[in-house]
Amino acid sequence: MNSPDRLIIGNDEFVPLFSEEQIQQRIQELAKQISSEYKSAIPVFIGVLNGSFLFMSDLIRYLTIDCEVDFFKLSSYGDAKISSGNVKLLKELNCEVNERDIIIVEDIVDTGLSIKYIEELFTEKSPKSMKVVSLLVKPGSLKYDVKIDYIGFRIPDKFVIGYGLDYAQKYRNLRGIYVLNEKGE
Ligand code: IMP
Ligand code: MG
């Protein structure tokens, strides 16, 4: 139902990039790796809203270790397809991260600005350790020096939607990930 062969949105065409099965397979692999590396810890998974909510829910259900979960919210894109270059904190974190092993959960790292901002925000709160897991990374778009510890897929520098990722707040409920078809350029 939520897995069309292609999507027409205004003048844009989006085509499948990763199927539901490919996404789930890769998340299981990430969960296995994280579970083995955090055997003796109870990490706090901190999701960056809104994009990471589906990834977070699948990732933690594949874990074989105990964990805690929290979310906070950033805004950088507004309704555009290109980053505004500004990051705002829209929802504060409620949990205590001091001396905890934290894992930041992102849907996608594009320029790296959000992760850079998050790293600075959390370093002040003195966690015991801090790692980042992102389902998608666009290596060609990175402008900031950031380390992503666990990467689901490296993708080309193109706009993607689905599986939590939005375009003007819509299409997050697609089961797969779709990429903007730029063959006309
Ligand atoms: P960055 O700060 O430039 O790394 O951008 C990170 C945030 O921008 C992500 O967490 C997403 O919310 C959003 N974003 C980046 N690329 C895309 C995309 O291709 N589709 C939808 N959202 C995106
Ligand atoms: Mg995000």
Side-chain angles (χ1 to χ4, degrees):
M1 186 177 74
N2 277 325
S3 312
D5 290 338
R6 67 177 194 141
L7 270 146
I8 304 294
I9 303 170
N11 294 323
D12 295 327
E13 180 191 35
F14 285 83
V15 293
L17 183 62
F18 300 113
S19 68
E20 180 178 9
E21 292 71 27
Q22 287 172 307
I23 295 167
Q24 294 300 320
Q25 175 62 42
R26 187 67 189 117
I27 297 175
Q28 285 180 43
E29 291 167 7
L30 290 174
K32 198 172 166 190
Q33 189 186 349
I34 293 171
S35 297
S36 76
E37 290 178 19
Y38 284 83
K39 261 199 201 99
S40 49
I42 302 177
V44 188
F45 287 79
I46 301 174
V48 187
L49 290 171
N50 291 333
S52 70
F53 77 113
L54 291 179
F55 177 41
M56 170 76 102
S57 72
D58 285 333
L59 181 69
I60 63 161
R61 283 180 294 172
Y62 289 126
L63 295 173
T64 53
I65 52 166
D66 285 338
C67 68
E68 293 177 22
V69 173
D70 202 350
F71 290 94
F72 70 105
K73 187 162 180 167
L74 291 183
S75 154
S76 63
Y77 265 42
D79 282 351
K81 274 188 267 185
I82 297 170
S83 172
S84 65
N86 294 314
V87 179
K88 272 190 300 188
L89 189 62
L90 298 180
K91 177 197 173 292
E92 254 290 7
L93 191 77
N94 300 317
C95 76
E96 194 53 61
V97 299
N98 182 273
E99 287 306 310
R100 300 297 306 270
D101 295 292
I102 65 172
I103 302 179
I104 308 294
V105 182
E106 260 285 26
D107 50 353
I108 185 165
V109 176
D110 183 22
T111 63
L113 176 67
S114 306
I115 287 295
K116 188 96 205 143
Y117 176 87
I118 292 164
E119 274 179 358
E120 284 167 13
L121 195 76
F122 282 97
T123 304
E124 278 172 20
K125 296 179 191 276
S126 313
K128 185 171 166 202
S129 71
M130 174 166 57
K131 287 202 176 182
V132 178
V133 55
S134 186
L135 180 63
L136 306 174
V137 175
K138 294 180 187 170
S141 299
L142 278 176
K143 288 195 195 132
Y144 298 84
D145 182 24
V146 290
K147 181 167 175 271
I148 316 301
D149 301 279
Y150 306 100
I151 296 176
F153 302 99
R154 288 175 175 80
I155 64 166
D157 182 12
K158 291 184 177 174
F159 193 73
V160 290
I161 56 171
Y163 193 70
L165 292 145
D166 73 305
Y167 176 28
Q169 297 306 325
K170 294 210 296 266
Y171 315 106
R172 295 190 196 272
N173 57 326
L174 293 166
R175 290 177 172 271
I177 293 172
Y178 293 74
V179 61
L180 179 63
N181 192 353
E182 292 174 307
K183 66 175 181 244
E185 284 187 0

Short mmCIF file of all heavy atoms in Angstrom, two decimals, residues 18-45:
data_model
loop_
_atom_site.label_atom_id
_atom_site.label_comp_id
_atom_site.label_asym_id
_atom_site.label_seq_id
_atom_site.Cartn_x
_atom_site.Cartn_y
_atom_site.Cartn_z
N PHE A 18 15.79 2.31 -1.93
CA PHE A 18 15.90 1.11 -1.09
C PHE A 18 14.51 0.60 -0.76
O PHE A 18 13.63 1.38 -0.36
CB PHE A 18 16.65 1.41 0.21
CG PHE A 18 18.05 1.91 0.01
CD1 PHE A 18 18.40 3.22 0.35
CD2 PHE A 18 19.03 1.10 -0.56
CE1 PHE A 18 19.69 3.70 0.14
CE2 PHE A 18 20.33 1.56 -0.77
CZ PHE A 18 20.65 2.87 -0.42
N SER A 19 14.34 -0.72 -0.90
CA SER A 19 13.04 -1.32 -0.57
C SER A 19 12.93 -1.51 0.94
O SER A 19 13.93 -1.44 1.67
CB SER A 19 12.93 -2.68 -1.26
OG SER A 19 13.86 -3.58 -0.67
N GLU A 20 11.72 -1.78 1.37
CA GLU A 20 11.46 -2.07 2.78
C GLU A 20 12.38 -3.21 3.26
O GLU A 20 12.97 -3.14 4.34
CB GLU A 20 10.00 -2.47 2.95
CG GLU A 20 9.62 -2.80 4.37
CD GLU A 20 8.14 -3.15 4.51
OE1 GLU A 20 7.43 -3.30 3.50
OE2 GLU A 20 7.71 -3.27 5.66
N GLU A 21 12.52 -4.24 2.43
CA GLU A 21 13.33 -5.41 2.81
C GLU A 21 14.81 -5.03 2.95
O GLU A 21 15.48 -5.46 3.89
CB GLU A 21 13.20 -6.53 1.76
CG GLU A 21 11.83 -7.19 1.68
CD GLU A 21 10.74 -6.29 1.08
OE1 GLU A 21 11.08 -5.38 0.26
OE2 GLU A 21 9.57 -6.46 1.44
N GLN A 22 15.31 -4.25 2.01
CA GLN A 22 16.72 -3.82 2.08
C GLN A 22 16.97 -3.00 3.34
O GLN A 22 18.00 -3.15 4.00
CB GLN A 22 17.10 -2.99 0.85
CG GLN A 22 17.25 -3.81 -0.43
CD GLN A 22 17.44 -2.90 -1.63
OE1 GLN A 22 16.65 -1.97 -1.88
NE2 GLN A 22 18.48 -3.15 -2.40
N ILE A 23 16.03 -2.12 3.67
CA ILE A 23 16.18 -1.27 4.85
C ILE A 23 16.20 -2.12 6.12
O ILE A 23 17.09 -1.99 6.96
CB ILE A 23 15.04 -0.22 4.91
CG1 ILE A 23 15.14 0.75 3.72
CG2 ILE A 23 15.07 0.55 6.23
CD1 ILE A 23 13.90 1.63 3.52
N GLN A 24 15.23 -3.03 6.20
CA GLN A 24 15.13 -3.87 7.40
C GLN A 24 16.37 -4.76 7.57
O GLN A 24 16.88 -4.93 8.67
CB GLN A 24 13.86 -4.72 7.37
CG GLN A 24 12.57 -3.90 7.45
CD GLN A 24 12.48 -3.07 8.73
OE1 GLN A 24 12.84 -3.53 9.81
NE2 GLN A 24 11.99 -1.84 8.62
N GLN A 25 16.84 -5.30 6.46
CA GLN A 25 18.04 -6.15 6.48
C GLN A 25 19.25 -5.39 7.04
O GLN A 25 19.97 -5.86 7.91
CB GLN A 25 18.31 -6.65 5.05
CG GLN A 25 19.58 -7.44 4.85
CD GLN A 25 19.59 -8.72 5.66
OE1 GLN A 25 18.59 -9.40 5.75
NE2 GLN A 25 20.73 -9.02 6.30
N ARG A 26 19.42 -4.17 6.53
CA ARG A 26 20.57 -3.36 6.95
C ARG A 26 20.44 -2.95 8.42
O ARG A 26 21.43 -2.91 9.15
CB ARG A 26 20.68 -2.13 6.04
CG ARG A 26 21.91 -1.31 6.27
CD ARG A 26 23.19 -2.03 5.88
NE ARG A 26 24.36 -1.28 6.34
CZ ARG A 26 25.25 -1.74 7.22
NH1 ARG A 26 25.14 -2.95 7.72
NH2 ARG A 26 26.26 -0.98 7.59
N ILE A 27 19.23 -2.63 8.86
CA ILE A 27 19.04 -2.21 10.25
C ILE A 27 19.33 -3.39 11.20
O ILE A 27 19.91 -3.21 12.27
CB ILE A 27 17.62 -1.64 10.49
CG1 ILE A 27 17.43 -0.38 9.64
CG2 ILE A 27 17.40 -1.31 11.96
CD1 ILE A 27 16.05 0.21 9.69
N GLN A 28 18.96 -4.59 10.77
CA GLN A 28 19.29 -5.78 11.60
C GLN A 28 20.80 -5.91 11.76
O GLN A 28 21.28 -6.24 12.84
CB GLN A 28 18.74 -7.04 10.94
CG GLN A 28 17.23 -7.17 11.09
CD GLN A 28 16.71 -8.44 10.44
OE1 GLN A 28 17.29 -9.50 10.57
NE2 GLN A 28 15.61 -8.32 9.73
N GLU A 29 21.54 -5.66 10.67
CA GLU A 29 23.00 -5.75 10.75
C GLU A 29 23.56 -4.70 11.71
O GLU A 29 24.45 -4.99 12.52
CB GLU A 29 23.62 -5.57 9.36
CG GLU A 29 23.33 -6.73 8.40
CD GLU A 29 23.68 -6.41 6.94
OE1 GLU A 29 24.26 -5.34 6.67
OE2 GLU A 29 23.34 -7.24 6.08
N LEU A 30 23.04 -3.48 11.62
CA LEU A 30 23.50 -2.41 12.51
C LEU A 30 23.19 -2.76 13.97
O LEU A 30 24.03 -2.57 14.86
CB LEU A 30 22.82 -1.07 12.16
CG LEU A 30 23.21 -0.40 10.84
CD1 LEU A 30 22.32 0.82 10.60
CD2 LEU A 30 24.67 0.03 10.86
N ALA A 31 21.99 -3.29 14.20
CA ALA A 31 21.57 -3.63 15.57
C ALA A 31 22.45 -4.73 16.15
O ALA A 31 22.80 -4.71 17.33
CB ALA A 31 20.11 -4.07 15.57
N LYS A 32 22.83 -5.66 15.28
CA LYS A 32 23.70 -6.76 15.73
C LYS A 32 25.07 -6.21 16.15
O LYS A 32 25.60 -6.57 17.20
CB LYS A 32 23.86 -7.76 14.57
CG LYS A 32 24.35 -9.10 14.98
CD LYS A 32 24.28 -10.07 13.82
CE LYS A 32 25.10 -11.30 14.17
NZ LYS A 32 25.27 -12.18 13.02
N GLN A 33 25.60 -5.33 15.33
CA GLN A 33 26.91 -4.73 15.62
C GLN A 33 26.86 -3.90 16.92
O GLN A 33 27.71 -4.03 17.80
CB GLN A 33 27.33 -3.84 14.44
CG GLN A 33 28.76 -3.35 14.54
CD GLN A 33 29.10 -2.36 13.43
OE1 GLN A 33 28.34 -2.18 12.45
NE2 GLN A 33 30.24 -1.70 13.56
N ILE A 34 25.82 -3.08 17.05
CA ILE A 34 25.69 -2.23 18.25
C ILE A 34 25.49 -3.11 19.48
O ILE A 34 26.11 -2.87 20.52
CB ILE A 34 24.54 -1.21 18.06
CG1 ILE A 34 24.90 -0.20 16.96
CG2 ILE A 34 24.22 -0.50 19.38
CD1 ILE A 34 23.77 0.73 16.53
N SER A 35 24.68 -4.15 19.36
CA SER A 35 24.43 -5.05 20.50
C SER A 35 25.72 -5.69 20.99
O SER A 35 25.94 -5.82 22.19
CB SER A 35 23.44 -6.15 20.12
OG SER A 35 22.19 -5.60 19.79
N SER A 36 26.59 -6.06 20.04
CA SER A 36 27.82 -6.73 20.47
C SER A 36 28.81 -5.72 21.06
O SER A 36 29.56 -6.04 21.97
CB SER A 36 28.44 -7.53 19.33
OG SER A 36 29.06 -6.67 18.42
N GLU A 37 28.78 -4.48 20.60
CA GLU A 37 29.73 -3.48 21.11
C GLU A 37 29.28 -2.86 22.44
O GLU A 37 30.07 -2.24 23.14
CB GLU A 37 29.96 -2.39 20.06
CG GLU A 37 30.77 -2.94 18.88
CD GLU A 37 31.00 -1.93 17.77
OE1 GLU A 37 30.86 -0.71 18.01
OE2 GLU A 37 31.31 -2.37 16.64
N TYR A 38 28.00 -2.98 22.79
CA TYR A 38 27.49 -2.38 24.04
C TYR A 38 27.00 -3.45 25.02
O TYR A 38 26.10 -3.19 25.81
CB TYR A 38 26.37 -1.39 23.73
CG TYR A 38 26.86 -0.08 23.16
CD1 TYR A 38 27.14 0.04 21.81
CD2 TYR A 38 27.06 1.03 23.97
CE1 TYR A 38 27.61 1.23 21.27
CE2 TYR A 38 27.52 2.23 23.45
CZ TYR A 38 27.79 2.32 22.10
OH TYR A 38 28.25 3.49 21.57
N LYS A 39 27.60 -4.63 24.94
CA LYS A 39 27.16 -5.75 25.80
C LYS A 39 27.15 -5.41 27.28
O LYS A 39 26.26 -5.80 28.02
CB LYS A 39 28.10 -6.95 25.58
CG LYS A 39 27.53 -7.97 24.64
CD LYS A 39 28.25 -9.30 24.82
CE LYS A 39 28.09 -10.15 23.60
NZ LYS A 39 29.26 -10.09 22.70
N SER A 40 28.17 -4.65 27.73
CA SER A 40 28.27 -4.38 29.16
C SER A 40 27.76 -2.99 29.53
O SER A 40 28.07 -2.47 30.60
CB SER A 40 29.70 -4.58 29.62
OG SER A 40 30.55 -3.88 28.75
N ALA A 41 26.95 -2.38 28.65
CA ALA A 41 26.43 -1.04 28.95
C ALA A 41 24.93 -1.00 28.68
O ALA A 41 24.39 -1.89 28.02
CB ALA A 41 27.12 -0.02 28.07
N ILE A 42 24.28 0.03 29.21
CA ILE A 42 22.88 0.26 28.84
C ILE A 42 22.84 1.63 28.16
O ILE A 42 22.70 2.66 28.81
CB ILE A 42 21.95 0.24 30.09
CG1 ILE A 42 22.09 -1.12 30.80
CG2 ILE A 42 20.49 0.49 29.67
CD1 ILE A 42 21.28 -1.21 32.09
N PRO A 43 23.03 1.63 26.84
CA PRO A 43 23.11 2.91 26.14
C PRO A 43 21.77 3.64 26.10
O PRO A 43 20.71 3.01 26.18
CB PRO A 43 23.56 2.52 24.73
CG PRO A 43 23.16 1.11 24.55
CD PRO A 43 23.19 0.48 25.91
N VAL A 44 21.86 4.97 25.98
CA VAL A 44 20.66 5.79 25.78
C VAL A 44 20.63 6.19 24.31
O VAL A 44 21.53 6.89 23.83
CB VAL A 44 20.68 7.07 26.64
CG1 VAL A 44 19.33 7.78 26.55
CG2 VAL A 44 21.04 6.77 28.09
N PHE A 45 19.61 5.71 23.59
CA PHE A 45 19.44 6.08 22.18
C PHE A 45 18.67 7.39 22.13
O PHE A 45 17.57 7.48 22.68
CB PHE A 45 18.70 4.98 21.42
CG PHE A 45 19.55 3.77 21.17
CD1 PHE A 45 19.76 2.84 22.16
CD2 PHE A 45 20.17 3.60 19.93
CE1 PHE A 45 20.58 1.74 21.95
CE2 PHE A 45 20.99 2.49 19.71
CZ PHE A 45 21.20 1.57 20.71
#
